[in-house]
């Protein structure tokens, strides 16, 4: 017979009959950590699952995720893609989506995003020129930026004119 009594640290108090698991944010972090340690295919699947979790929490702002960084690249990617697809879809509930974003982002977050957006918009012509200087073709630059090729050619012509260079024909850039 064992006379040894459990130590207080070994006793787990039972507060509920229902088992508890990780928080949604903990599960999300676990998936991202696992993706970092996985091969390309498995990492892509795990990141897609995290994307679904993010999409759900974006669509249901009443379900807060403690510790979630609303300004993270992953969240902002989700915001941008959801906004763009809702804008383009004829039956999209753009007003509802904007209400959700207004509830999700603090005023400080919105200010940061507004100023960051202005800064990135101002830097875009320089980024276009740098990409061309690295050998990218204007149609590829346009595709990556979500612009039309004609807009990229226009930016390059304006930049070249400012630098005093003779503009090349659109197909030659």
């Amino acid at each position: 017979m064992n006379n040894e009594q459990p130590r207080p640290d070994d006793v787990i108090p039972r507060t509920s009959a229902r088992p508890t698991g990780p928080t949604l944010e903990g599960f999300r972090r676990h998936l991202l950590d696992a993706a970092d340690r996985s091969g390309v295919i498995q990492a892509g699947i795990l990141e897609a699952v995290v994307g679904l979790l993010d999409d759900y929490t974006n669509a249901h702002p009443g379900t807060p995720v403690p510790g979630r960084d609303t300004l993270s690249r992953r969240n902002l990617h989700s915001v941008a893609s959801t906004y763009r697809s809702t804008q383009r879809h004829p039956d999209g509930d753009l007003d509802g989506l904007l209400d959700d974003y207004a509830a999700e982002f603090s005023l400080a977050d919105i200010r940061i995003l507004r100023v960051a957006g202005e800064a990135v918009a101002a830097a875009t012509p320089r980024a276009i020129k740098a990409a061309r200087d690295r050998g990218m073709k204007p149609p590829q630059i346009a595709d990556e930026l979500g612009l039309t090729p004609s807009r990229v050619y226009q930016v390059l012509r304006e930049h070249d004119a400012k630098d005093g260079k003779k503009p090349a024909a659109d197909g030659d850039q």
Side-chain angles (χ1 to χ4, degrees):
M1 189 169 217
N2 186 352
N3 290 332
E4 187 176 326
Q5 296 294 317
R7 295 174 298 185
D9 291 343
D10 293 336
V11 178
I12 301 172
R14 189 170 193 179
T15 58
S16 169
R18 196 172 114 184
T20 59
T23 64
L24 182 57
E25 182 58 26
F27 180 58
R28 188 178 176 283
R29 271 195 313 268
H30 169 75
L31 291 174
L32 290 173
D33 290 343
D36 288 343
R37 295 186 310 270
S38 300
V40 174
I41 293 173
Q42 185 177 351
I45 292 169
L46 292 170
E47 288 172 1
V49 170
V50 170
L52 290 171
L53 290 172
D54 290 347
D55 289 346
Y56 178 83
T57 56
N58 284 337
H60 300 87
T63 312
V65 179
R68 179 164 154 226
D69 182 6
T70 55
L71 299 180
S72 71
R73 181 183 177 108
R74 183 177 306 278
N75 187 53
L76 295 179
H77 177 76
S78 176
V79 166
S81 64
T82 302
Y83 176 72
R84 181 64 67 201
S85 66
T86 303
Q87 260 188 328
R88 291 180 176 164
H89 194 276
D91 297 329
D93 181 15
L94 187 57
D95 285 334
L97 180 65
L98 296 177
D99 289 342
D100 291 346
Y101 289 159
E104 177 180 355
F105 292 98
S106 70
L107 293 177
D109 289 346
I110 292 170
R111 179 181 180 170
I112 290 167
L113 290 170
R114 283 182 50 254
V115 174
E118 291 171 15
V120 171
T124 298
R126 294 168 191 235
I128 290 171
K129 182 186 176 300
R132 181 191 60 188
D133 292 349
R134 289 190 308 272
M136 286 180 72
K137 300 291 182 198
Q140 182 184 4
I141 297 168
D143 186 52
E144 289 199 27
L145 288 175
L147 299 172
T148 63
S150 63
R151 176 65 182 133
V152 171
Y153 285 119
Q154 178 187 9
V155 167
L156 291 170
R157 280 191 303 272
E158 290 169 359
H159 202 282
D160 289 346
K162 189 172 92 174
D163 287 348
K165 294 180 183 174
K166 182 181 175 197
D170 283 353
D172 296 338
Q173 290 189 25

